[in-house]
């Protein structure tokens, strides 16, 4: 196998992780702006891509061939879990932490004013 063929095989192997990492990042940055993260987009993409490549390698080692549907299901679930972990771990500090008992109040809320 030549160098070009090897690079082609490696690119096609990691392409699902690359695609899903990009899709998760774009979806979060464009559509879900209510949860801002302090993590830069390059580093967030690298976390997602690295997680995806590790899952693909694990699927290749366990199933002895590439492209099994179980590997792709694990890829989607694992990268979704990684995205959720990143959103919780690297969020802004002014948001209340989950489980602290604080109820978030809108900044425009003026208390319990009587209604007319």
């Amino acid at each position: 196998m030549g160098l070009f063929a090897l690079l082609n095989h490696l690119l096609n192997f990691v392409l699902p992780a690359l695609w899903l990492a990009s899709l998760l990042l774009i979806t979060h940055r464009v559509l879900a702006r209510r949860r801002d993260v302090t993590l830069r987009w390059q580093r967030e993409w690298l976390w997602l891509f690295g997680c995806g490549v590790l899952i693909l390698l694990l699927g290749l080692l366990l199933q002895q061939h590439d492209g099994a549907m179980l590997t792709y299901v694990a890829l989607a679930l694992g990268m979704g879990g990684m995205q959720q972990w990143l959103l919780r771990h690297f969020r802004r500090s002014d948001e209340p932490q989950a489980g602290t008992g604080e109820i978030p109040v809108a900044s425009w809320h003026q208390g319990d004013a009587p209604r007319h």
Side-chain angles (χ1 to χ4, degrees):
M1 180 183 320
L3 180 64
F4 181 72
L6 178 67
L7 290 176
N8 187 28
H9 283 288
L10 287 176
L11 176 68
N12 286 325
F13 177 71
V14 298
L15 201 59
L18 188 139
W19 179 81
L20 194 55
S22 301
L23 184 69
L24 282 171
L25 182 70
I26 289 170
T27 302
H28 172 253
R29 297 290 172 159
V30 172
L31 298 178
R33 288 199 171 259
R34 56 194 155 104
R35 267 194 189 171
D36 292 329
V37 234
T38 58
L39 192 62
R40 294 180 57 192
W41 70 268
Q42 295 96 340
R43 186 162 290 182
E44 184 178 352
W45 186 86
L46 280 175
W47 273 98
L48 291 170
F49 179 68
C51 173
V53 170
L54 285 176
I55 291 171
L56 288 173
L57 282 173
L58 186 63
L60 179 66
L61 292 174
L62 290 177
Q63 297 182 356
Q64 301 297 319
H65 59 83
D66 180 30
M69 287 306 294
L70 186 61
T71 303
Y72 293 137
V73 169
L75 178 70
L77 292 175
M79 289 181 74
M82 175 58 80
Q83 176 73 356
Q84 187 67 26
W85 181 81
L86 287 171
L87 289 177
R88 288 177 188 231
H89 188 58
F90 291 106
R91 67 178 162 196
R92 295 192 188 277
S93 61
D94 57 350
E95 293 180 13
Q97 298 292 328
T100 59
E102 294 182 28
I103 299 173
V105 178
S107 60
W108 50 265
H109 183 69
Q110 298 297 323
D112 295 328
R115 295 183 184 174
H116 298 282

